[in-house]
């Protein structure tokens, strides 16, 4: 009998987890009916409760592990799995990488129907802990209290992470192992100082309160540390004791800024920024270049692996020094500068003004006269023939945000007529969809490399090389 009609919400089933789905859930099959199981890893046999049934698939959570997976390792983090960040840290690292490769293959082959497809290369992470160069924590007066926590725990103060799918509750974080250890020390000090100074955390419901986010950036190759305290309004006198306390405790901190976000939107991105201490940006070295990165600019969050990702892009581009290159969604211009070493001319396009300013400064600082950056919203920038203002590109690099390219840009991309398209992506689903478009327009997928930038998390980074 077809299992999709038999299985229903509330059923308890014994399931064998055979793989990990993109997003981090375990996959089990009852005949051809797929069930996604939260916090379960390949190789486990679990007794699980079906909590949702949809057309074609079900969702379940484990009640009991009946047989443990040979790939199981003890999670390092005390906040696992409540935090929801490093969802797959109980899976050994080798298997995490193997599963990510399989996910990309599944998405391209089965979901998008790309033919004759295989992942050509997988580059695992060099460091599986302390690799993130940027972390963001949210202040809240609405702490998520765990059953194991004492009755006395302060419920009206938390600095940590959103509970998955709960916009209103924050899990207080004591330690995070994917950022450098000093990040945990700064986090703890910020918590104790903010409480001692009686600074009010922001309330998502009433929109009262002062402290909204703590954002930190770490220069992996420079030792620089940037702290951004995001507040809901400007009050330098109120913030100064907190900023001074951090500077005193951590002389290694090279920048402190205050972003002011008066909007209701839950983003650590201010309408404007006040500069409180040190340089106004963080410096980081990548390859032969030094980058100046301000609080709100995009920079790849794993410095060591960004280098490998860009090398993969550079190798794919096979530049000879004659080419015009476009770098779309260029952020602070790091790929642009990598490629400019071997190209005639590079044009970077990016929507965030401060990132374009950083990119321009970075080009000057690194004596790269052949790179030009342009503020552009690529959702419609090339719509009205504006492309004619620029030379025709031989190579186009795209590295869109997780949501993928706007439909207009996906369809416009082949119209540049470039010989090569290097497509860097943190979302294989949208990348596979765009691959179909490029193939229909005469581009051949020559190579796909998976680069693991984010160990223990479900995120996957890929580089596709297309040849016209
Ligand atoms: C994944 S990042 C890539 C940055 C850069 N390539 C790098 O490796 O550092 C995506 C970038 O796209 C930018 N972006 C997002 N939406 C955009 C849009 N509609 N037009 C132009 N840039 C956009 C973001 O600000 C971000 O800098």
């Amino acid at each position: 009998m077809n299992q999709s009609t038999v299985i229903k919400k509330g059923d308890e089933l014994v399931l064998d987890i055979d793989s990990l789905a993109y997003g981090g859930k375990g996959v089990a099959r009852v005949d051809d009916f797929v069930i996604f199981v939260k916090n379960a890893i390949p190789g486990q046999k679990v007794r699980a409760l079906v909590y949702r049934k949809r057309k074609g698939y079900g969702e379940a959570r484990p009640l009991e592990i009946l047989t443990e997976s040979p790939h199981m390792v003890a999670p390092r983090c005390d906040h696992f799995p409540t935090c929801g960040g490093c969802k797959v840290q109980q899976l050994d690292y080798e298997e995490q990488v193997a599963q990510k490769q399989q996910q990309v293959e599944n998405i391209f082959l089965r979901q998008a129907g790309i033919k004759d497809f295989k992942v050509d290369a997988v580059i695992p992470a060099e460091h599986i802990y302390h690799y993130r160069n940027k972390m963001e924590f949210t202040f809240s007066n609405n702490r998520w209290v765990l059953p194991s926590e004492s009755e006395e725990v302060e419920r009206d103060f938390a600095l940590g992470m959103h509970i998955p799918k709960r916009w209103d509750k924050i899990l207080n974080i004591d330690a995070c192992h994917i950022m450098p250890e000093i990040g945990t020390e700064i986090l703890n000090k910020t918590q104790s100082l903010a409480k001692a100074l009686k600074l009010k955390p922001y309330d998502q419901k009433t929109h009262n309160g002062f402290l909204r986010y703590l954002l930190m950036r770490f220069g992996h190759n420079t030792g620089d540390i940037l702290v951004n305290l995001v507040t809901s309004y400007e009050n330098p006198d109120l913030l100064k004791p907190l900023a001074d306390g951090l500077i005193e405790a951590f002389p290694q901190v090279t920048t402190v800024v205050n972003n002011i976000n008066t909007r209701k939107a839950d983003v650590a991105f201010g309408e404007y920024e006040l500069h409180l201490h040190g340089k106004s940006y963080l410096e980081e070295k990548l390859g032969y270049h030094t980058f100046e990165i301000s609080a709100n600019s995009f920079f790849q969050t794993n410095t060591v692996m960004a280098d490998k990702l860009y090398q993969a892009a550079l190798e794919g581009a096979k530049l000879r020094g004659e080419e015009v290159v476009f770098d779309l969604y260029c952020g602070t211009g790091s790929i642009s500068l990598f490629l400019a070493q071997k190209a005639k001319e590079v044009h970077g396009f990016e929507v965030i003004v401060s990132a374009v300013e950083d990119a321009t400064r970075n080009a000057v600082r690194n004596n790269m006269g052949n790179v030009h950056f342009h503020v552009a919203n690529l959702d419609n920038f090339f719509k009205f023939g504006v492309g004619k203002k620029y030379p025709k590109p031989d190579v186009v690099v795209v590295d869109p945000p997780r949501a993928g390219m706007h439909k207009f840009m996906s369809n416009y991309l082949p119209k540049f007529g470039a010989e090569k398209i290097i497509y860097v992506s943190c979302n294989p689903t949208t990348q596979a969809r765009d691959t179909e478009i490029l193939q229909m327009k005469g581009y051949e997928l020559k190579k796909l490399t998976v680069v693991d930038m984010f160990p223990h998390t479900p995120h996957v980074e890929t580089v596709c090389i297309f040849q016209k």
Side-chain angles (χ1 to χ4, degrees):
M1 189 182 296
N2 183 346
Q3 295 301 326
S4 66
T5 50
V6 177
I7 292 169
K8 53 187 187 313
K9 186 177 164 183
D11 280 356
E12 276 185 35
L13 305 171
V14 172
L15 300 170
D16 288 306
I17 310 298
D18 64 30
S19 58
L20 204 64
Y22 178 53
K25 285 182 181 154
V27 178
R29 286 163 225 274
V30 181
D31 296 337
D32 57 353
F33 187 69
V34 174
I35 304 183
F36 296 104
V37 189
K38 263 185 179 178
N39 302 328
I41 57 172
Q44 283 178 336
K45 184 191 273 296
V46 296
R47 187 167 62 81
L49 176 75
V50 178
Y51 64 87
R52 189 171 289 140
K53 164 101 184 280
R54 292 276 185 264
K55 198 163 174 249
Y57 70 94
E59 289 177 71
R61 67 165 173 275
L63 299 171
E64 189 186 353
I65 296 167
L66 301 171
T67 310
E68 194 42 276
S69 165
H71 302 295
M72 156 78 185
V73 288
R76 182 185 279 207
C77 181
D78 290 343
H79 302 294
F80 174 84
T82 323
C83 156
C86 300
K87 281 183 191 178
V88 293
Q89 62 179 287
Q90 82 282 34
L91 187 62
D92 68 50
Y93 184 61
E94 215 173 293
E95 190 59 22
Q96 285 181 28
V97 175
Q99 289 294 328
K100 286 184 182 182
Q101 171 173 356
Q102 198 177 313
Q103 287 162 15
V104 174
E105 284 175 349
N106 270 337
I107 290 167
F108 274 67
L109 272 171
R110 294 189 182 74
Q111 294 179 21
I114 310 288
K115 294 197 180 63
D116 303 327
F117 171 79
K118 67 176 175 41
V119 167
D120 300 280
V122 181
I123 307 178
E126 233 167 66
H127 307 287
I128 65 167
Y129 287 105
H130 309 301
Y131 60 81
R132 266 194 79 99
N133 62 26
K134 180 188 165 196
M135 283 302 290
E136 190 182 301
F137 298 95
T138 306
F139 287 96
S140 172
N141 65 345
N142 198 2
R143 176 175 174 151
W144 179 263
V145 181
L146 296 166
S148 57
E149 284 181 309
S150 97
E151 275 296 301
E152 278 104 67
V153 74
E154 283 162 280
R155 285 163 189 266
D156 59 358
F157 183 94
L159 176 56
M161 300 287 191
H162 274 280
I163 287 287
K165 300 197 177 140
R166 288 293 301 259
W167 59 273
D168 58 334
K169 288 273 184 193
I170 296 295
L171 177 73
N172 196 64
I173 299 286
D174 301 322
C176 175
H177 304 287
I178 57 172
M179 67 175 171
E181 275 165 11
I182 186 143
T184 291
E185 291 173 34
I186 297 172
L187 171 72
N188 295 158
K189 187 75 184 171
T190 308
Q191 288 161 337
S192 61
L193 278 171
K195 283 195 262 187
L197 292 163
K198 299 200 178 349
L199 295 174
K200 290 255 177 303
Y202 187 71
D203 184 322
Q204 278 292 347
K205 286 187 186 143
T206 62
H207 304 290
N208 292 320
F210 182 54
L211 295 175
R212 294 194 70 168
Y213 309 93
L214 164 70
L215 184 143
M216 292 178 271
R217 282 187 186 270
F218 310 93
H220 180 88
N221 294 321
T222 58
D224 274 12
I225 300 174
L226 176 150
V227 172
N228 177 14
L229 295 162
V230 184
T231 58
S232 60
Y233 54 90
E234 183 179 334
N235 189 334
D237 294 340
L238 201 54
L239 194 63
K240 194 171 184 313
L242 173 58
D244 287 350
L246 289 174
I247 296 160
E248 196 188 326
F250 303 103
Q252 313 89 312
V253 170
T254 44
T255 301
V256 182
V257 291
N258 170 208
N259 266 244
I260 290 122
N261 177 8
T262 65
R263 295 155 302 167
K264 289 179 180 166
D266 187 14
V267 286
F269 200 105
E271 292 114 283
Y272 62 100
E273 182 172 297
L274 302 177
H275 176 223
L276 306 182
H277 168 76
K279 297 179 282 191
S280 57
Y281 49 79
L282 170 130
E283 283 180 63
E284 179 61 306
K285 285 192 163 66
L286 202 54
Y288 298 112
H289 302 120
T290 302
F291 292 89
E292 297 180 6
I293 309 154
S294 49
N296 291 327
S297 295
F298 180 92
F299 192 76
Q300 294 287 347
T301 49
N302 182 335
T303 308
V304 174
M305 297 311 289
D307 199 2
K308 298 191 186 291
L309 181 77
Y310 296 164
Q311 289 298 348
L314 187 60
E315 275 163 32
K318 294 206 172 23
L319 298 170
R320 297 180 309 272
E322 303 294 308
E323 297 84 352
V324 172
V325 179
F326 277 10
D327 179 11
L328 307 182
Y329 307 90
C330 68
T332 43
S334 33
I335 298 185
S336 305
L337 292 202
F338 250 72
L339 298 186
Q341 302 168 70
K342 302 242 166 105
K344 181 175 142 214
E345 185 177 337
V346 179
H347 290 267
F349 300 84
E350 160 67 45
V351 73
I352 305 274
V353 176
S354 67
V356 173
E357 287 166 359
D358 285 358
T360 306
R361 231 186 16 244
N362 289 332
V364 172
R365 177 161 180 172
N366 291 284
N367 299 318
M368 306 295 282
N370 60 341
V371 202
H372 312 278
F373 293 101
H374 315 279
V375 177
N377 182 350
L378 294 165
D379 292 357
N380 53 26
F381 186 71
F382 289 102
K383 219 170 209 167
F384 307 106
V386 72
K388 293 195 194 94
K389 279 180 33 192
Y390 305 94
K392 179 182 169 306
D394 304 292
V395 177
V396 176
V397 180
V398 287
D399 184 6
R402 190 153 284 139
M405 275 186 276
H406 187 276
K407 207 166 147 216
F408 164 77
M409 195 62 237
S410 303
N411 288 303
Y412 190 83
L413 191 55
K415 294 189 184 155
F416 287 119
E419 273 307 307
K420 278 205 168 69
I421 295 178
I422 318 278
Y423 191 147
V424 181
S425 171
C426 52
N427 185 340
T429 309
T430 50
Q431 190 182 36
R433 186 194 63 199
D434 292 337
T435 297
E436 273 185 283
I437 298 175
L438 289 171
Q439 287 187 329
M440 274 186 316
K441 299 289 178 188
Y443 282 90
E444 195 185 332
L445 176 55
K446 289 297 228 188
K447 185 170 182 183
L448 190 151
T449 307
V450 172
V451 184
D452 191 25
M453 311 275 284
F454 315 108
H456 315 303
T457 79
H459 301 302
V460 183
E461 193 85 15
T462 43
V463 186
C464 281
I465 311 292
F466 295 94
Q467 175 78 42
K468 196 169 153 193

